[in-house]
Amino acid sequence: MKALVLSGGAGTRLRPITHTSAKQLVPVANKAVLFYGLESIADAGITDVGMIVGDTAAEIEEAVGDGSRFGLKVTYIPQERPLGLAHAVLIAREFLGDDDFVMYLGDNFIVGGITGLVDEFRTHRPDAQILLTRVADPRAFGVAELDASGQVTGLEEKPQQPKSDLALVGVYMFTPLIHEAVRAIEPSWRGELEITHAIQHLIDSGADVRSTVIKGYWKDTGNVGDMLEVNRTVLEGMERRIDGDVDDASQTIGRVVVEEGARIVNSRIVGPAVIGAGTFVSNSYVGPFTSVAENCRITDSELEFSIVLRDSSIQGVGRIESSLIGRHVEVTPAPSVPSAHRFVLGDHSKVQITS
């Protein structure tokens, strides 16, 4: 069994971060979202991975390399522009051959991995198996309709009037029969070859399409709010570890990770939180659900429920929360401006000024 990992796409919902960085490489708990997926694939016993890459191909290839650090063998498959998930399957035909495969969206996050799901597919080997989860607003997702027995009867992509609250999670498992389906469909109104249309083609052809409703945690890390939420979830599962230097005037409370080479001076770190290697924190407070990457500098500031990427500095700015701060960012106080009032007042005026 092989894996097809989708790592293209523009990541428009994470701009401006994704103007200069691949969305799949934005870190949660100081590790790229994409790496969690690759580790899950390796844990499931899959070693041969095709990676769909687009405009950020060079950055993805630099980060992942040949895949050996994950126990994988990675083949890069360029996609000129995002033309749909089914198009990714279409252009990966030579790599996939006649093998079964799991398709994994590189910006998705599933707590607990996919080992059990892959084992289930290998055991029963339906023509396709999709993962579903219940969501509050299905209109932003591909949505599945099931019959009374739980069989998949229909799929819709981002419907205005969803027929269920079951959204497709970004992990799919297919036999080679899917290749016939992706060749049979036409582009949608969005100009894309939709994987939901290809799976619907399988259903209409009488193929065995099964679903699993996952009850664990899943997120599509497509926007800042979701990134912060995934960061919170991962940090909650960490164990306390202090490998860096923490001086006697500082406190580390709860599940705090201070990486080797980090220094904490006269500061308070309340977990769950992680401070990356080479980062310096001085006269500051870093609160729960915060990840500070490597080689950052936090001085005379407060930071909570946030992600700070590498090589950034936050100095003397009071409190920051619910924020995603990119690489090589400098956050400093604005210069103080003397307050003054300037008037042209007519006769008999009355003016009240709040100082």
Side-chain angles (χ1 to χ4, degrees), residues 105-121:
L105 274 59
D107 58 353
N108 275 226
F109 186 90
I110 300 176
V111 170
I114 60 171
T115 300
L117 301 165
V118 170
D119 288 345
E120 180 184 350
F121 176 79

Side-chain angles (χ1 to χ4, degrees), residues 22-85:
K23 64 178 179 177
Q24 298 84 4
L25 296 180
V26 177
V28 292
N30 286 2
K31 182 165 66 176
V33 171
L34 175 61
F35 293 177
Y36 291 97
L38 293 177
E39 290 169 355
S40 293
I41 289 166
D43 289 343
I46 300 170
T47 58
D48 206 358
V49 176
M51 189 165 293
I52 302 292
V53 291
D55 292 340
T56 58
E59 189 180 8
I60 296 287
E61 290 184 33
E62 181 182 2
V64 176
D66 63 2
S68 57
R69 61 182 287 197
F70 305 99
L72 303 171
K73 177 186 175 184
V74 173
T75 301
Y76 293 97
I77 304 167
Q79 186 181 36
E80 290 184 7
R81 55 194 176 96
L83 292 173
L85 305 188

Side-chain angles (χ1 to χ4, degrees), residues 30-334:
N30 286 2
K31 182 165 66 176
V33 171
L34 175 61
F35 293 177
Y36 291 97
L38 293 177
E39 290 169 355
S40 293
I41 289 166
D43 289 343
I46 300 170
T47 58
D48 206 358
V49 176
M51 189 165 293
I52 302 292
V53 291
D55 292 340
T56 58
E59 189 180 8
I60 296 287
E61 290 184 33
E62 181 182 2
V64 176
D66 63 2
S68 57
R69 61 182 287 197
F70 305 99
L72 303 171
K73 177 186 175 184
V74 173
T75 301
Y76 293 97
I77 304 167
Q79 186 181 36
E80 290 184 7
R81 55 194 176 96
L83 292 173
L85 305 188
H87 181 261
V89 176
L90 193 66
I91 64 174
R93 181 68 175 93
E94 182 178 349
F95 165 77
L96 293 169
D98 291 325
D99 292 311
D100 295 348
F101 67 98
V102 55
M103 184 167 74
Y104 196 115
L105 274 59
D107 58 353
N108 275 226
F109 186 90
I110 300 176
V111 170
I114 60 171
T115 300
L117 301 165
V118 170
D119 288 345
E120 180 184 350
F121 176 79
R122 282 171 164 152
T123 299
H124 301 287
R125 201 170 178 265
D127 297 308
Q129 185 163 336
I130 60 176
L131 306 188
L132 305 173
T133 190
R134 298 192 183 278
V135 296
D137 185 3
R139 292 174 297 176
F141 303 93
V143 176
E145 185 179 5
L146 308 182
D147 64 17
S149 66
Q151 191 75 14
V152 183
T153 58
L155 298 172
E156 287 186 280
E157 187 65 34
K158 297 180 174 63
Q160 287 303 305
Q161 296 182 321
K163 296 179 181 178
S164 80
D165 62 351
L166 293 170
L168 274 77
V169 173
V171 179
Y172 310 78
M173 282 157 279
F174 298 114
T175 67
L177 192 61
I178 191 65
H179 297 299
E180 176 186 326
V182 299
R183 290 195 302 269
I185 61 174
E186 298 292 333
S188 67
W189 62 270
R190 301 192 302 171
E192 298 185 2
L193 291 175
E194 311 284 1
I195 197 66
T196 47
H197 292 178
I199 299 171
Q200 185 66 54
H201 179 83
L202 292 178
I203 295 170
D204 295 342
S205 301
D208 183 9
V209 177
R210 302 185 187 181
S211 67
T212 300
V213 179
I214 63 172
K215 295 180 170 56
Y217 183 86
W218 164 79
K219 274 287 183 184
D220 168 9
T221 58
N223 60 49
V224 173
D226 288 338
M227 288 294 303
L228 294 173
E229 180 64 20
V230 171
N231 191 62
R232 180 192 66 79
T233 300
V234 176
L235 289 176
E236 284 183 331
M238 290 193 327
E239 297 295 329
R240 179 181 172 87
R241 177 166 52 85
I242 308 296
D243 293 333
D245 295 327
V246 180
D247 75 354
D248 293 339
S250 298
Q251 288 181 298
T252 58
I253 301 169
R255 294 189 300 277
V256 172
V257 172
V258 179
E259 299 286 359
E260 185 175 355
R263 284 201 305 138
I264 313 297
V265 175
N266 193 35
S267 297
R268 190 166 183 254
I269 316 296
V270 179
V274 57
I275 309 298
T279 286
F280 177 65
V281 181
S282 173
N283 301 312
S284 296
Y285 165 78
V286 177
F289 313 125
T290 301
S291 296
V292 181
E294 64 272 19
N295 301 321
C296 292
R297 187 177 184 89
I298 313 293
T299 59
D300 301 308
S301 301
E302 295 185 4
L303 188 62
E304 188 166 297
F305 190 51
S306 294
I307 299 172
V308 182
L309 276 59
R310 61 179 172 84
D311 301 305
S312 291
S313 67
I314 300 171
Q315 302 185 50
V317 293
R319 187 175 183 85
I320 294 174
E321 61 182 29
S322 304
S323 298
L324 175 57
I325 296 172
R327 301 172 296 179
H328 300 280
V329 170
E330 294 183 6
V331 183
T332 57

